[in-house]
Amino acid sequence: MGELEKALRTRRDEGGRSFVPYVTGGVPGVNVELLRGLQRVGADAIEVGIPHSDPVMDGGVIQEASRRSLEAGTRPGDVLATIREAALSIPVAVMTYVNPVLRRGISPFLDEAREAGVAGTIVPDLPVDEADAFDAACALRGIDAVLLAAPGAGADRLARIGAAAHGFVYCVAAYGVTGARGSLSNVAWELVDAVRAHTDLPLLIGLGIGTPQLAAEACGFADGVIVGSALMSRLLEGDPDGTVELAGAFRDAIPIAR
């Protein structure tokens, strides 16, 4: 069990729910001070995106964040350097796509990530059917390889995901791409219920958690939430202080303990 899984299990075992904010590395304002600010307001872990030119899971806000980051010349090593410098006491997971990992090489990429203090990886376009080598390389370095469960997946596939995942299972709350939404779809709780039959890992909902109220609603049946587009919208407006303030509002809406 890696650091990421330990932190989220501890929160769950204490009767609380986890808050994991997402930010795209390399975007102006995504720096050491921001990561430390997110930790200060109560994040249980932080997901930091490594920008990619074809972010197939992401909607308009994160696409724009990736575009700005790449136009600024951001490379994976730059994002990892920020994580290293922040030296957080909570786990950090990096989210990227499989091409940047393969271009660097799985082992070199993970070695650099581990050296930077990364505790988990999220690679949305690496399905469970093709993840064995990557997962094994993560396990050798004590990095939790998070897998995604999507609406519509059958019981056999969810069982494979539950057996292979580490850290937590990222439960995709709706059909489509990332982006803040005004309400939770029924598929969110249906998916969490279905996945829970196949694993004891913490189950976190991501994609579409646009307000603290929705986060609180999601935490009524899930073990926590991942919030990205709502926070990145503030950052793209040039408001890092407002981003941290909004993250605090999400944390305040989510139970910490019984």
Side-chain angles (χ1 to χ4, degrees):
M1 186 186 304
E3 299 164 19
L4 178 62
E5 184 174 330
K6 286 178 184 177
L8 302 185
R9 279 186 179 273
T10 297
R11 177 66 75 197
R12 184 185 67 183
D13 292 348
E14 291 174 347
R17 298 294 181 264
S18 293
F19 169 53
V20 180
Y22 164 92
V23 292
T24 303
V27 171
V30 179
N31 51 29
V32 168
E33 289 73 22
L34 180 79
L35 297 184
R36 291 176 178 169
L38 295 174
Q39 174 178 270
R40 186 178 65 253
V41 298
D44 294 284
I46 299 175
E47 180 184 345
V48 180
I50 295 175
H52 181 47
S53 58
D54 189 19
V56 294
M57 180 181 172
D58 295 311
V61 171
I62 308 300
Q63 287 182 23
E64 175 62 13
S66 291
R67 184 190 69 78
R68 292 190 194 183
S69 182
L70 291 171
E71 283 192 353
T74 302
R75 296 181 179 275
D78 301 323
V79 178
L80 296 176
T82 300
I83 295 169
R84 181 187 301 109
E85 186 180 352
L88 303 179
S89 60
I90 59 174
V92 176
V94 291
M95 183 275 197
T96 189
Y97 291 88
V98 70
N99 280 356
V101 175
L102 295 180
R103 182 175 178 83
R104 180 76 174 91
I106 291 175
S107 291
F109 175 84
L110 292 175
D111 286 341
E112 191 173 355
R114 182 69 264 184
E115 184 182 348
V118 168
T121 58
I122 303 170
V123 186
D125 59 344
L126 184 62
V128 64
D129 319 77
E130 302 172 15
D132 287 352
F134 183 77
D135 290 353
C138 285
L140 284 173
R141 294 160 176 83
I143 295 174
D144 286 326
V146 175
L147 292 176
L148 286 79
D156 289 348
R157 187 167 191 80
L158 293 180
R160 293 187 64 186
I161 292 168
H166 298 274
F168 67 93
V169 177
Y170 189 129
C171 296
V172 179
Y175 292 99
V177 294
T178 60
R181 289 166 170 80
S183 62
L184 278 178
S185 167
N186 286 341
V187 303
W189 69 262
E190 290 171 355
L191 177 62
V192 169
D193 187 59
V195 176
R196 208 176 289 283
H198 301 290
T199 183
D200 184 48
L201 285 172
L203 307 183
L204 273 63
I205 288 181
L207 197 152
I209 308 297
T211 66
Q213 293 75 23
L214 280 184
E217 181 182 341
C219 287
F221 56 88
D223 299 316
V225 295
I226 302 153
V227 179
S229 294
L231 299 176
M232 286 308 303
S233 293
R234 292 281 182 96
L235 280 167
L236 293 179
E237 293 168 358
D239 186 10
D241 291 341
T243 301
V244 173
E245 181 180 353
L246 179 58
F250 274 98
R251 174 74 273 179
D252 290 344
I254 297 169
I256 293 178
R258 290 186 182 90

